Amino acid sequence: MEDVHTLVVGAGAVGLACAAVLARRGEPIAVLERNRRVGQETSARNSGVIHAGLYYPTGSLKARLCVAGRDRLYARCERRGVPHRRCGKILVATDAAEVGKLEAIARQAAANGAEVQLIDAADVVRRVPAVRAIAGLWSPATGIVDVHALIDSYHREAEDGGAMVVLDHAVTGVARRPDGWHVTARTAAGATAEIRATWLVNAAGLDASRIAELAGLDVDALGLRQKPCKGDYFTLAPRHTGIAEHLVYPVPVHAGLGIHITFDLAGRVMAGPDTEYVGELRYDVDPAKAAVFGAALRRYLPGIRDDELSPGYAGIRPKLQGPGEPVRDFVIEEASRHGVPRLVNLIGIESPGITASEAIAELVDHLIASA
Ligand SMILES: Cc1cc2nc3c(=O)[nH]c(=O)nc-3n(C[C@H](O)[C@H](O)[C@H](O)COP(=O)(O)OP(=O)(O)OC[C@H]3O[C@@H](n4cnc5c(N)ncnc54)[C@H](O)[C@@H]3O)c2cc1C
């Protein structure tokens, strides 16, 4: 039986960022992770984009933590040598109705503290010659990051600060005690471990609603049941390597940002993600979707053929809103909101969770320190 001050459930980008920041106070911290390696779930299955903070409602946690987290992320990348590129992105409008949407996003971005510039069709083509659009919105602060190196930087900082990161330990039981928590975990081989903690931080990603339930919350009554929403990616044929120096996005669709063109630091060009609510966690990419992706891309990239798209990978967003429901914010709450003392829940941490990771961790640290 171990005793710690704070136990973090989940070693994704957010859980490890929390451990790194919390360890700065010098209290004993532990992280329990069910996989044999850190950062294998949603944190390994995303676009790797450092978002500037354009879209989210002003004052929301997503807006505030994205803008603060973006600046912290760039500073961390510089300080710790995490590979990244501040490549900028262009949102493109292909008809008059979309120009109005771009203007609305420009106002939203300005209110959020994200610098953007409306540009005309000629300027769009000058920046990305393969694109056809009637107007664009340029975001210079958007970038890409090597997410695995970022996660590694949090992991190392957490352990250097004295935190214990325990792999292959799935949390199976969470019991409340007068002065904190008694947590049970199980390894793949069936061994069990027990930990007592004063504080519990639920950073379990796709499993966060279940952990909150184990901790005694009525997640349905509180509106905290996550709805998994899958996003698939296709890889573009090598002849499109270097097609764009900047990320290229259409105007956003309801549940996601629209099928966009992104690339990694090795120059591999990808299209995605789409949005598909799923009943179970699965990561297959249906090759038949190439036609849908091709049609979406050809609205602004006429030179792409369906047979140049190969199934890539998929990620799953832990969304709080179901299909057609109004967009929900991140939930980062302690007892004053959900009534259970010494528990910080992180629920619905979809995009921009990578960008916001350090700012989320600082908020968690503040909630614990000021309780
Ligand atoms: C398709 C897609 C594209 C995205 N694109 C971007 C982007 O470009 N930029 C951006 O900023 N964000 C993006 N995001 C969002 C970002 O990936 C997430 O917000 C972020 O990875 C969440 O990190 P996390 O640590 O909360 O969750 P996770 O990475 O899922 O980590 C949770 C961890 O908890 C562990 N766990 C779960 N249950 C238990 C248990 N019972 N016991 C022990 N361990 C447990 C899991 O194994 C996992 O390792 C995207 C997401 C998706 C799905």
Side-chain angles (χ1 to χ4, degrees), residues 10 14 33-35 41 43 46 49 171 207 349-350 353-355:
V14 172
E33 166 55 51
R34 64 182 170 190
N35 291 314
E41 300 205 355
S43 295
N46 54 65
V49 172
V171 170
D207 212 20
I349 311 297
E350 53 171 324
I354 293 290
T355 309

Side-chain angles (χ1 to χ4, degrees), residues 200-248:
L200 188 65
V201 174
N202 172 9
L206 292 164
D207 212 20
S209 301
R210 197 179 66 86
I211 296 293
E213 232 165 8
L214 286 178
L217 266 67
D218 184 341
V219 297
D220 292 313
L222 292 164
L224 297 179
R225 175 79 60 196
Q226 295 179 153
K227 287 108 188 163
C229 180
K230 184 162 168 276
D232 294 347
Y233 292 84
F234 278 75
T235 306
L236 267 66
R239 86 167 176 104
H240 294 296
T241 302
I243 190 172
E245 293 281 305
H246 315 294
L247 308 175
V248 183

Side-chain angles (χ1 to χ4, degrees), residues 121-190:
D123 205 352
V124 172
V125 173
R126 187 180 62 75
R127 290 169 198 259
V128 186
V131 167
R132 293 292 166 268
I134 61 169
L137 186 68
W138 168 240
S139 163
T142 302
I144 52 173
V145 62
D146 178 337
V147 181
H148 293 284
L150 174 70
I151 291 170
D152 192 45
S153 85
Y154 287 134
H155 188 184
R156 272 187 288 139
E157 185 180 336
E159 290 193 331
D160 290 350
M164 196 170 47
V165 179
V166 186
L167 305 175
D168 183 21
H169 276 68
V171 170
T172 51
V174 177
R176 227 151 96 197
R177 303 175 343 133
D179 54 350
W181 298 96
H182 185 136
V183 172
T184 311
R186 184 180 294 275
T187 68

Side-chain angles (χ1 to χ4, degrees), residues 1 16 19 26 36 91 95 102 107 114 119 161 180 214 257 262 265 267 271 279 281 338 341 371:
M1 171 85 76
L16 288 171
R36 286 173 202 264
L91 262 94
D95 60 35
L102 279 192
R107 287 191 293 276
I119 57 178
L214 286 178
L257 298 183
T262 182
L265 288 155
L281 304 189
H338 55 60

